[in-house]
Amino acid sequence: MIRLKHLDLRRLIISLAVVTGLIMLANSFYASYKAQEQILIKNRLQLNHAYATKVASATSDYLASSMQLLRYSAKEVNKLMDIPQALQTEVSRVYRQTESFDSVLVADATGKVLAAAPLDTLIGKSLETLGAKEALQLQSPVISKPYTGASGNRVIVLSQPIFSASGKYLGYIGGSIYLGQANSLDRLLSEHYYSDGSYLFAVDQDRQLLYHPESRRVGTTVGQNPVVDAVLAGETGYMQARNSQGIEMLAGYAPLTIAGWGIVAQAPTNAALEPLGALMAGVLKDTAIPALIILGLAWWMARLISRPLSQLAQGARALDQPETAEKIGQVEPWYYEASQLKKAMLESMNTFHHRIVKLNLDAQTDALTGLLNRRGQEMALAALEQSRQDFAIVAVDIDHFKPVNDTWGHDTGDLILQFLADAMRTCSRDEDLLCRSGGEEFLMLLPATPPDGAQHVAERLRAHVDAWHGLPGPGHITISLGVAYWSPEGGSVEASLKRADEALYNAKKNGRNRVEMAR
């Protein structure tokens, strides 16, 4: 059989040091990457929020200024309602004075248009548009909901009521702003300073788009969107969310209180993270040389650490040779742990070897019972055989265990297995090796124990279990045991295990709840 060559202790420690260093470097790089990612995302969220807030404030000022202009004009035209030429002159002045409106008109209390600019074809007609109805019904300052106007454009109307000196309602003066057209509102919302896929849109309380860089979408309704939900609820802030096209976006939002609108500025997450590659390349460049130096130091220190341990390991491989103690004594450990290891080896090589074996076996335990599992059992047997120390074998099996699982369930069966493991610990020594071979089968390895001593241990365990009542489920169990013995001159360990199994089989065949000795 071909056996793979084992790594020596020096190479193993060096490999561990190098791998650990690389893992730490990778972890640091990853942590730096995530930190930079979060910084970029948060900065862009805050930037979008600030931009949305700025645009909302500017738009609010624009609307407030436009409403003020109409309010002033409403006070002027209340004296001109019966003078058509003068009324038309005032309407034309309001239309031409600023670029706030795409059209301006004055209607009387019935909705009949008395003057209009530039759409003078509307004069004499009664308007039935949403803006006209809101103005006539509320008789107060109104910023209407968006609708399709008489001109065929998507429009919002700003209106101010007109009252006589005695307080009688005479009508209203209104200014129309066409959505998606080149005007002051469009320029205000479209002044965007980024070219990385970011954009801004405005939405009203009915979730209709008032502005969008894709003009074809103006007037459409926005579907489920947590950003729109938040801004229309009057909230201001930022969040990371997907837009209607399923793209991950970084959105900042602010409400436009004067009109009940919401302003949202957002950018694709991928675009915001585009500088991350260059940042991480810089981080990698800055950390590469220090990392190589640290790895080199780790490699050098690992060699220093491994040297005395390697020398001690060479001595441990030749414990049966008389000159081994002298060679171990010549090792010069330079740190405490190696010195203590050397001292322990010199004080008792056999004890040291046993502890190493025991330590390795502790990692090979059965999760349910805390005993050695099948792999740990194999390692324990190999160690005992290599040390050429005679030992006894006690094979243990629970009588009629299958009906316990079938009748009371596996949870009850697990409790009984744990009970037996505790009983084995109670009836054994610290140096004895206790194993769960599988299912309800257990094994006790008793170093330096003659056959009669092993029989005594087995009988004590049997009696202890037989005397115990009050277990969950069946309340009481019994066990059958087979005892065998191994010595360096007595054949293979496998043969001794087989003899213990045969003795256990005889115990079962001869009535159970008994101990049988192998030949």
Side-chain angles (χ1 to χ4, degrees), residues 4 22 31 40 52 86 117 120-121 159 163 182 188 212 258 317 329 357 365 390 399:
L4 296 176
L22 291 174
L40 287 174
D120 53 4
T121 56
S159 62
F163 293 98
L188 186 63
H212 194 279
I258 189 174
R317 284 195 293 267
V357 172
T365 56
D390 59 331
D399 297 330

Short mmCIF file of all heavy atoms in Angstrom, two decimals, residues 4 22 31 40 52 86 117 120-121 159 163 182 188 212 258 317 329 357 365 390 399:
data_model
loop_
_atom_site.label_atom_id
_atom_site.label_comp_id
_atom_site.label_asym_id
_atom_site.label_seq_id
_atom_site.Cartn_x
_atom_site.Cartn_y
_atom_site.Cartn_z
N LEU A 4 0.88 8.32 1.72
CA LEU A 4 1.28 9.68 1.43
C LEU A 4 2.26 10.18 2.48
O LEU A 4 2.14 9.87 3.66
CB LEU A 4 0.04 10.60 1.42
CG LEU A 4 -0.99 10.30 0.32
CD1 LEU A 4 -2.20 11.22 0.50
CD2 LEU A 4 -0.39 10.47 -1.05
N LEU A 22 -2.50 35.23 4.95
CA LEU A 22 -3.26 35.51 3.73
C LEU A 22 -4.75 35.69 4.03
O LEU A 22 -5.41 36.56 3.45
CB LEU A 22 -3.05 34.38 2.72
CG LEU A 22 -1.64 34.29 2.11
CD1 LEU A 22 -1.54 33.04 1.24
CD2 LEU A 22 -1.32 35.54 1.29
N ALA A 31 -13.11 43.68 4.49
CA ALA A 31 -13.71 44.64 5.43
C ALA A 31 -13.55 46.07 4.92
O ALA A 31 -14.47 46.89 5.02
CB ALA A 31 -13.07 44.49 6.81
N LEU A 40 -19.49 55.15 0.32
CA LEU A 40 -19.93 55.69 -0.98
C LEU A 40 -21.46 55.73 -1.06
O LEU A 40 -22.04 56.70 -1.55
CB LEU A 40 -19.36 54.83 -2.11
CG LEU A 40 -17.87 54.99 -2.40
CD1 LEU A 40 -17.42 53.98 -3.44
CD2 LEU A 40 -17.55 56.41 -2.87
N ALA A 52 -32.43 66.78 -3.63
CA ALA A 52 -33.90 66.78 -3.67
C ALA A 52 -34.47 67.89 -2.80
O ALA A 52 -35.44 68.56 -3.17
CB ALA A 52 -34.42 65.42 -3.22
N ALA A 86 -59.30 96.76 -20.79
CA ALA A 86 -58.37 96.92 -19.67
C ALA A 86 -58.06 95.57 -19.02
O ALA A 86 -56.92 95.31 -18.60
CB ALA A 86 -58.97 97.89 -18.64
N ALA A 117 -54.55 85.15 -22.38
CA ALA A 117 -53.32 85.35 -23.15
C ALA A 117 -52.43 84.13 -22.98
O ALA A 117 -52.27 83.65 -21.85
CB ALA A 117 -52.60 86.61 -22.66
N ASP A 120 -56.41 83.71 -26.83
CA ASP A 120 -57.58 84.59 -26.81
C ASP A 120 -58.81 83.93 -27.41
O ASP A 120 -59.93 84.44 -27.31
CB ASP A 120 -57.26 85.90 -27.54
CG ASP A 120 -56.70 85.65 -28.95
OD1 ASP A 120 -56.65 84.47 -29.36
OD2 ASP A 120 -56.30 86.63 -29.59
N THR A 121 -58.62 82.73 -28.04
CA THR A 121 -59.78 82.02 -28.59
C THR A 121 -60.68 81.48 -27.48
O THR A 121 -61.82 81.07 -27.75
CB THR A 121 -59.31 80.85 -29.47
OG1 THR A 121 -58.45 79.99 -28.69
CG2 THR A 121 -58.54 81.35 -30.68
N SER A 159 -54.29 79.35 -9.34
CA SER A 159 -55.37 80.35 -9.42
C SER A 159 -55.52 81.09 -8.11
O SER A 159 -55.22 80.56 -7.03
CB SER A 159 -56.68 79.67 -9.80
OG SER A 159 -57.08 78.74 -8.80
N PHE A 163 -62.23 89.05 -5.64
CA PHE A 163 -63.36 89.54 -4.84
C PHE A 163 -63.54 91.04 -5.09
O PHE A 163 -62.56 91.77 -5.31
CB PHE A 163 -63.13 89.29 -3.35
CG PHE A 163 -63.11 87.84 -2.98
CD1 PHE A 163 -61.90 87.16 -2.82
CD2 PHE A 163 -64.29 87.14 -2.79
CE1 PHE A 163 -61.87 85.84 -2.48
CE2 PHE A 163 -64.27 85.81 -2.44
CZ PHE A 163 -63.06 85.14 -2.28
N ALA A 182 -41.15 72.98 -22.40
CA ALA A 182 -40.04 73.87 -22.03
C ALA A 182 -40.60 75.13 -21.39
O ALA A 182 -41.16 76.00 -22.07
CB ALA A 182 -39.22 74.21 -23.27
N LEU A 188 -36.42 74.32 -14.08
CA LEU A 188 -36.07 74.22 -12.66
C LEU A 188 -35.85 72.77 -12.24
O LEU A 188 -34.90 72.46 -11.51
CB LEU A 188 -37.18 74.85 -11.82
CG LEU A 188 -36.93 74.99 -10.31
CD1 LEU A 188 -35.75 75.91 -10.05
CD2 LEU A 188 -38.17 75.52 -9.63
N HIS A 212 -40.45 64.12 -15.36
CA HIS A 212 -39.54 62.98 -15.49
C HIS A 212 -38.64 63.28 -16.68
O HIS A 212 -39.10 63.88 -17.68
CB HIS A 212 -40.34 61.69 -15.73
CG HIS A 212 -39.51 60.44 -15.55
ND1 HIS A 212 -38.67 59.95 -16.52
CD2 HIS A 212 -39.39 59.60 -14.48
CE1 HIS A 212 -38.07 58.86 -16.09
NE2 HIS A 212 -38.49 58.63 -14.85
N ILE A 258 -46.18 73.01 -0.31
CA ILE A 258 -47.11 74.02 -0.85
C ILE A 258 -48.08 73.42 -1.85
O ILE A 258 -49.22 73.87 -1.99
CB ILE A 258 -46.31 75.18 -1.48
CG1 ILE A 258 -47.27 76.33 -1.84
CG2 ILE A 258 -45.54 74.72 -2.70
CD1 ILE A 258 -46.55 77.58 -2.33
N ARG A 317 9.40 10.36 17.95
CA ARG A 317 9.27 9.23 17.03
C ARG A 317 10.19 8.08 17.41
O ARG A 317 10.06 6.98 16.87
CB ARG A 317 9.57 9.70 15.61
CG ARG A 317 8.44 10.50 14.98
CD ARG A 317 8.63 10.61 13.48
NE ARG A 317 9.79 11.43 13.15
CZ ARG A 317 9.74 12.73 12.91
NH1 ARG A 317 8.58 13.37 13.01
NH2 ARG A 317 10.83 13.40 12.61
N GLY A 329 17.33 16.06 25.60
CA GLY A 329 18.01 16.96 26.53
C GLY A 329 18.87 17.99 25.85
O GLY A 329 19.15 19.06 26.41
N VAL A 357 -2.06 11.16 22.92
CA VAL A 357 -3.08 10.30 22.33
C VAL A 357 -4.46 10.68 22.86
O VAL A 357 -5.43 10.79 22.11
CB VAL A 357 -2.77 8.81 22.64
CG1 VAL A 357 -3.92 7.91 22.20
CG2 VAL A 357 -1.48 8.39 21.93
N THR A 365 -15.10 12.69 19.55
CA THR A 365 -16.13 12.20 20.47
C THR A 365 -17.50 12.17 19.81
O THR A 365 -17.78 12.90 18.86
CB THR A 365 -16.20 13.10 21.72
OG1 THR A 365 -16.44 14.44 21.31
CG2 THR A 365 -14.92 13.04 22.50
N ASP A 390 -0.43 -3.69 26.70
CA ASP A 390 -1.55 -4.61 26.70
C ASP A 390 -2.80 -3.92 27.26
O ASP A 390 -2.71 -2.99 28.06
CB ASP A 390 -1.23 -5.86 27.52
CG ASP A 390 -0.90 -5.51 28.97
OD1 ASP A 390 -0.38 -4.38 29.18
OD2 ASP A 390 -1.15 -6.31 29.87
N ASP A 399 -29.68 -4.62 25.65
CA ASP A 399 -30.62 -5.68 25.31
C ASP A 399 -31.95 -5.09 24.87
O ASP A 399 -32.49 -4.18 25.53
CB ASP A 399 -30.84 -6.60 26.52
CG ASP A 399 -29.55 -7.32 26.94
OD1 ASP A 399 -28.71 -7.56 26.04
OD2 ASP A 399 -29.40 -7.59 28.14
#
